[in-house]
Amino acid sequence: LLPTILVVALAARVVFCVAVVGLDAGGWGDEPDYHRHAVDLAAGRGFLTPAGEPTAARPPLYPIVLAGVYRLAGPSHAAGRILQMALGVAIVLLTFLVARKLFSEGAGLAAAAFAAASPPLVYLSALLMTENLAIVLLLLMLLCLAREIVAKEIALPAARRSRTCAV
């Protein structure tokens, strides 16, 4: 069932990105800044303002990751959006892993299904923004934490485990 959920997650993100946003659309809001920083980083110029001055106006991790993609695939919005869709599907997989580790296989599948069909998560997967990467990193941290909780409280019932997670 998980592979089906992941395929549905990918399909939802691809359809939304291509049909609504546009795979190579220029972007709006903060997207142009992240794209520009990634292009500059991929070209070896560093973090620059549009006027060419050094800047620290944006957090660096997402533009660095995006620059890595641009170095491999070329500096296109399409390459960045494909990264975003991959991160979006990773969110669904990691959501499954965290819920399965803390509760059960069924809970993991339900959580993954909700994440796969979540309109805000589908929407974010089409934008060149930091949120998808931040969510992936947060879920990786939660998975590590969940492993520790389960290892130390293996004898506790799931109800106690959920209260521990809530804290």
Side-chain angles (χ1 to χ4, degrees), residues 8-25 28 31 81 84-85 116-128 132:
V8 168
L10 179 60
R13 283 147 179 80
V14 169
V15 167
F16 180 79
C17 184
V18 171
V20 177
V21 174
L23 192 58
D24 210 21
W28 59 275
E31 286 183 282
R81 294 190 199 290
Q84 289 299 101
M85 288 183 273
S118 167
L121 292 178
V122 171
Y123 174 76
L124 286 173
S125 293
L127 305 178
L128 301 181
N132 268 5

Side-chain angles (χ1 to χ4, degrees), residues 42-92:
R45 293 187 291 265
F47 286 91
L48 302 174
T49 66
E53 297 294 321
T55 184
R58 298 275 180 208
L61 183 59
Y62 180 69
I64 291 169
V65 171
L66 193 55
V69 169
Y70 287 178
R71 291 279 297 194
L72 295 173
S76 72
H77 289 92
R81 294 190 199 290
I82 290 168
L83 166 68
Q84 289 299 101
M85 288 183 273
L87 289 171
V89 174
I91 288 168
V92 175

Side-chain angles (χ1 to χ4, degrees), residues 136-153:
V136 165
L137 295 174
L138 176 65
L139 286 168
L140 285 170
M141 187 268 314
L142 287 174
L143 184 59
C144 292
L145 180 62
R147 287 183 176 162
E148 287 300 309
I149 288 171
V150 169
K152 290 183 176 30
E153 298 180 355

